[in-house]
Amino acid sequence: MTRFDEEFSRFNTSSVKWDEMTKEEKENGMLPFWIADSDYKTEKSITDALINRASHEAYAYTFPSDDYFKSIIKWGQDTKGVKIKREWIVPFTGVVSAIYFSISLFTKKKDNVTISTPVYKPFYQVVKGNKRGLLCNKLKETNDSYCIDFDDLEEKLKISKMFILCNPHNPVGRCYTYEELARIVQICKKYNVVIVSDEIHGDIIMKGNKYTSLINFFNEYNKIIVCTAPSKTFNIAGIQSANIVIKNKSLREKFVDFTHTASISTPNLFALTACEAAYKNGRKWMEEQNEYLTETRDYVTKFFKEFIPEAKVYKLEATYLMWINLSFLKLNQEDLIEGLKKAGVWVNSGTMYGEECVGYIRLNIACSRKQVEEGLAKIKKFIESQK
């Protein structure tokens, strides 16, 4: 038994994942596999650091320390092989808000912004919220995976000012190769398109896959903004910690000036504390989590192959979010999602990520194996009831 097999209640903690269920759903044993946080206790040194900081009993104005920046630089070097300079790092409160402000700052109203779909729902929202034109580069299905339609991407980028990349990709689970990313950078450079890379899942990589951050391409193109965070990796999303890495001095200063003016720049002292502790001490924990998630992914894939072979389970290379096609049931999306909920499983609807994804679900496997087993049994029972 590993630390990731440990089950503990998250009820009555104002958990979005667990406490937004109705009383009846809780009493009936509903299992949540939807929102992207994990059901693992975070790495102990993070908890210890937070308790130690809280014990000081003064929580006034603070700033990122030298050790904070050093921890980010060392983490990037040790886990991804990237070299980050201190001045490139902009401590921030969240990745989605950083993307929103990047669109606002580096494009104009009615400019086009391209995203590769299906993709994380807030990507649509931040573009539309800024009143920019939204162009969707649809990913191509290839057997049990997806790839980028580069011909279509180039056509879209010819008339775009920004490309928002999800790297690794949520929800399809791609860990893009160096060659794929190099081609994206090449096309964006050709058309002078700013790249904003959401790398929030960049530490959660399944065994056998190699992750490449767009920081690797800073020397090849000077209009890249990389958004990182420890939140998904260590289950600390509620602490709201992120770091935006921008080599381009002009872009960085414009971003910093705006955020300072709006007083939304520096994360709070507990976010700074948690991030530093995670990056100083969390590598072994992260590697053990990735190994556990890889085994869970394999278990889920085998289960569907054996018991629900009509389903299409896409290969999960990164993130802890499995993308599954249940369109063989021929249900409309509402009936599919509500039917699964009535069976005791709460998943994300595929149409959240692309209106064309009818019959698809996103399944969060970042929980104990026991919970996964119980959830899959409920899914199997629901599907059998439809035959």
Side-chain angles (χ1 to χ4, degrees):
M1 181 173 176
T2 72
R3 69 181 91 192
F4 303 104
D5 289 300
E6 180 184 355
E7 294 187 285
F8 67 107
S9 177
R10 294 182 60 196
F11 285 126
N12 303 315
T13 60
S14 297
S15 163
V16 171
K17 188 176 188 178
W18 290 87
D19 287 327
E20 285 198 353
M21 287 189 272
T22 66
K23 181 181 179 182
E24 182 181 15
E25 287 172 340
K26 292 177 183 178
E27 291 174 348
N28 290 337
M30 171 79 80
L31 294 175
F33 296 94
W34 62 293
I35 195 169
D37 67 20
S38 62
D39 290 321
Y40 308 134
K41 290 182 179 179
T42 194
E43 206 278 335
K44 189 174 183 300
S45 68
I46 299 173
T47 303
D48 291 343
L50 289 169
I51 292 171
N52 182 62
R53 182 62 186 86
S55 69
H56 184 260
E57 300 184 67
Y59 316 120
Y61 297 117
T62 190
F63 62 89
S65 67
D66 288 342
D67 284 346
Y68 176 86
F69 288 103
K70 288 177 182 177
S71 72
I72 297 164
I73 293 167
K74 190 173 190 305
W75 182 265
Q77 178 66 57
D78 292 348
T79 65
K80 300 175 184 66
V82 295
K83 294 183 179 180
I84 303 171
K85 292 187 177 181
R86 173 175 172 155
E87 61 265 28
W88 300 350
I89 302 168
V90 183
F92 205 60
T93 53
V95 167
V96 174
S97 53
I99 297 171
Y100 179 91
F101 291 124
S102 294
I103 295 169
S104 177
L105 288 166
F106 305 122
T107 66
K108 298 175 182 177
K109 285 188 178 180
K110 297 185 179 180
D111 280 348
N112 290 324
V113 176
T114 294
I115 60 177
S116 291
T117 62
V119 74
Y120 182 49
K121 184 178 179 179
F123 278 29
Y124 297 91
Q125 296 170 329
V126 292
V127 176
K128 292 177 180 178
N130 273 296
K131 294 181 172 55
R132 272 46 169 182
L134 176 65
L135 300 182
C136 295
N137 162 239
K138 292 185 179 180
L139 298 172
K140 295 192 296 186
E141 291 193 35
T142 56
N143 296 322
D144 62 350
S145 188
Y146 282 79
C147 67
I148 297 167
D149 183 339
F150 280 103
D151 290 337
D152 179 74
L153 179 63
E154 182 157 6
E155 290 303 310
K156 298 288 195 309
L157 293 179
K158 283 179 182 178
I159 53 173
S160 295
K161 296 297 183 182
M162 180 174 286
F163 176 55
I164 306 174
L165 173 68
C166 196
N167 177 40
H169 194 97
N170 169 17
V172 306
R174 277 301 318 279
C175 181
Y176 290 122
T177 65
Y178 181 93
E179 290 74 22
E180 286 174 304
L181 296 172
R183 191 169 175 186
I184 289 171
V185 171
Q186 181 185 42
I187 296 170
C188 288
K189 183 177 181 180
K190 181 177 179 180
Y191 298 106
N192 197 33
V193 174
V194 176
I195 307 172
V196 180
S197 182
D198 174 355
E199 304 193 358
I200 198 168
H201 292 278
D203 295 317
I204 308 170
I205 309 301
M206 301 300 98
K207 188 175 181 180
N209 292 280
K210 180 175 174 55
Y211 178 69
T212 301
S213 167
L214 249 65
I215 293 170
N216 285 283
F217 300 95
F218 276 0
N219 288 335
E220 296 177 36
Y221 186 45
N222 69 351
K223 290 190 175 181
I224 300 174
I225 298 169
V226 173
C227 303
T228 72
S231 52
K232 303 297 182 184
T233 311
F234 297 100
N235 198 27
I236 55 174
I239 292 177
Q240 297 186 322
S241 168
N243 292 285
I244 316 307
V245 186
I246 313 172
K247 180 182 178 181
N248 183 306
K249 186 177 179 182
S250 176
L251 295 183
R252 186 175 67 249
E253 288 181 348
K254 192 170 182 179
F255 187 92
V256 171
D257 287 348
F258 175 80
T259 56
H260 282 177
T261 300
S263 284
I264 53 172
S265 52
T266 305
N268 70 56
L269 65 91
F270 291 110
L272 296 172
T273 299
C275 181
E276 181 180 333
Y279 288 159
K280 277 185 175 179
N281 306 304
R283 185 174 180 182
K284 184 173 184 292
W285 189 96
M286 176 200 73
E287 290 173 347
E288 289 177 358
Q289 178 184 224
N290 287 352
E291 184 175 346
Y292 187 85
L293 288 168
T294 300
E295 292 171 356
T296 302
R297 174 205 65 183
D298 293 344
Y299 176 85
V300 173
T301 303
K302 183 179 178 182
F303 182 93
F304 272 92
K305 186 176 182 179
E306 182 174 352
F307 296 108
I308 316 170
E310 306 95 330
K312 187 171 184 179
V313 179
Y314 295 87
K315 185 180 179 182
L316 182 69
E317 299 174 342
T319 83
Y320 46 65
L321 307 164
M322 297 194 73
W323 188 238
I324 302 170
N325 183 349
L326 300 177
S327 60
F328 72 92
L329 292 171
K330 301 190 184 306
L331 295 173
N332 66 49
Q333 199 67 11
E334 183 179 356
D335 287 345
L336 173 62
I337 301 306
E338 289 305 311
L340 285 167
K341 287 186 78 171
K342 287 177 182 177
V345 178
W346 191 350
V347 297
N348 285 114
S349 169
T351 52
M352 288 179 60
Y353 310 97
E355 59 184 16
E356 72 279 9
C357 297
V358 175
Y360 291 70
I361 63 170
R362 192 188 76 168
L363 184 74
N364 178 351
I365 62 168
C367 56
S368 70
R369 193 71 43 76
K370 180 183 176 183
Q371 184 175 317
V372 168
E373 291 171 0
E374 291 176 358
L376 291 179
K378 291 174 185 284
I379 293 173
K380 178 174 177 284
K381 186 176 180 180
F382 166 73
I383 289 175
E384 288 174 344
S385 73
Q386 301 300 307
K387 293 181 178 180

